[in-house]
């Protein structure tokens, strides 16, 4: 599993305050904590408190602050192409950046895929188009195929693609999680080699009481259905242990009596 730490997001009060005060310390220590907990990459999101006109500048600052403490991939989390370019540039080249994300409208795909090609970046492709979040597996597959086509046209490698079926809060639509599990399995069959499949796990439990429990149970099922990347909180140690154990039980990583320790030594 490729874990993208979700915590550098202005939506969280501690990070939102640090952004408002231009204080790099809480940002950098959150980066270090997530990496120590096993994150493979870090999501970078300025949040909604920053006025639109300032988001590109703040993204640049946030990416630079994080890049000072790690060489790991950074996922620039923003819907605007102009802010995305600034963020990807700020993280430096060398294939260490991820575009999070593009939607499936043809004009969006063109702009964001060109950027992925230019910077040899990974790119997250959401199951969203001009009609909003695709509501069925069929509609999600249709957008995913469009995204795959745009990548192939530009020679963006399949290994750089992360298809995101979009998981929404279970308290909004209780049928959606099972449908997303089915979608994950189908995304993995779209091409050979298969694209990566990612979700923003914490969306699922927004507004619910048993947040951690809901996230943990779903992650196990999603991995069993083929999920191979997740944006979540690596500081949830139980979640991470369940993820690592799922991979052992599915024979994706080797078993030893100290497999939890072994995973942490490798990360
Ligand atoms: N797909 C992709 N990227 C994404 C998402 C996705 N990026 C953003 C989001 N979804 C994933 N990250 C988060 C981060 C935080 C929360 C949910 C998803 C969250 N925050 C608390 C809340 O809303 O209750 C608020 C913060 C707090 O506790 O103070 O749940 O789906 N590609």
């Amino acid at each position: 599993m490729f874990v993208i730490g979700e915590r550098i997001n202005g939506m969280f009060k501690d990070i939102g305050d640090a952004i408002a005060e231009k204080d790099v310390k809480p940002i950098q220590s959150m980066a270090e904590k997530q990496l120590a907990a096993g994150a493979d990459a870090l999501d970078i999101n300025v949040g909604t408190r920053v006025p639109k006109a300032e988001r590109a500048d703040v993204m640049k600052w946030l990416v630079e602050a994080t890049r000072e403490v790690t060489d790991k991939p950074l996922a620039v989390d923003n819907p605007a192409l102009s802010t995305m370019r600034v963020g990807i540039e700020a993280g430096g080249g060398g294939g260490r950046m991820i575009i999070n994300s593009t939607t499936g409208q043809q004009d969006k795909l063109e702009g964001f895929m060109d950027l992925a090609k230019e910077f040899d970046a990974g790119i997250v492709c959401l199951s969203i188009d001009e009609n909003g979040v695709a509501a069925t597996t069929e509609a999600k597959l249709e957008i995913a195929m469009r995204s795959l086509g745009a990548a192939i046209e530009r020679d963006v490698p399949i290994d750089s693609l992360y298809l995101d079926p979009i998981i929404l809060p279970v308290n909004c639509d209780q049928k959606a999680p099972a449908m997303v599990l089915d979608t994950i399995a189908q995304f993995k069959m779209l091409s050979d080699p298969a694209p990566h499949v990612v979700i923003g796990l914490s969306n699922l439990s927004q507004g619910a009481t048993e947040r951690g429990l809901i996230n943990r149970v779903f992650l196990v099922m999603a991995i069993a259905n083929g999920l191979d990347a997740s944006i979540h909180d690596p500081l949830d140690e139980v979640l991470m242990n369940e993820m690592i154990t799922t991979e052992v039980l599915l024979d994706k990583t080797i078993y030893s009596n100290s497999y939890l320790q072994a995973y942490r030594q490798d990360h």
Side-chain angles (χ1 to χ4, degrees), residues 212-241:
L213 182 60
I214 291 168
N215 293 344
R216 293 196 287 268
V217 171
F218 190 77
L219 184 61
V220 171
M221 294 191 292
I223 296 169
N225 275 265
L227 190 83
D228 65 350
S230 172
I231 303 165
H232 68 232
D233 183 3
L235 305 181
D236 182 339
E237 194 179 334
V238 182
L239 176 72
M240 292 298 280
N241 285 346

Side-chain angles (χ1 to χ4, degrees), residues 6 11-12 77 100 124 126 164 200 202-203 206 211 231:
E6 74 178 9
M11 186 202 275
F12 293 100
D77 191 349
N100 186 17
V124 178
L126 305 176
D164 184 339
S202 302
N203 297 4
Q206 269 173 331
R211 289 207 69 167
I231 303 165

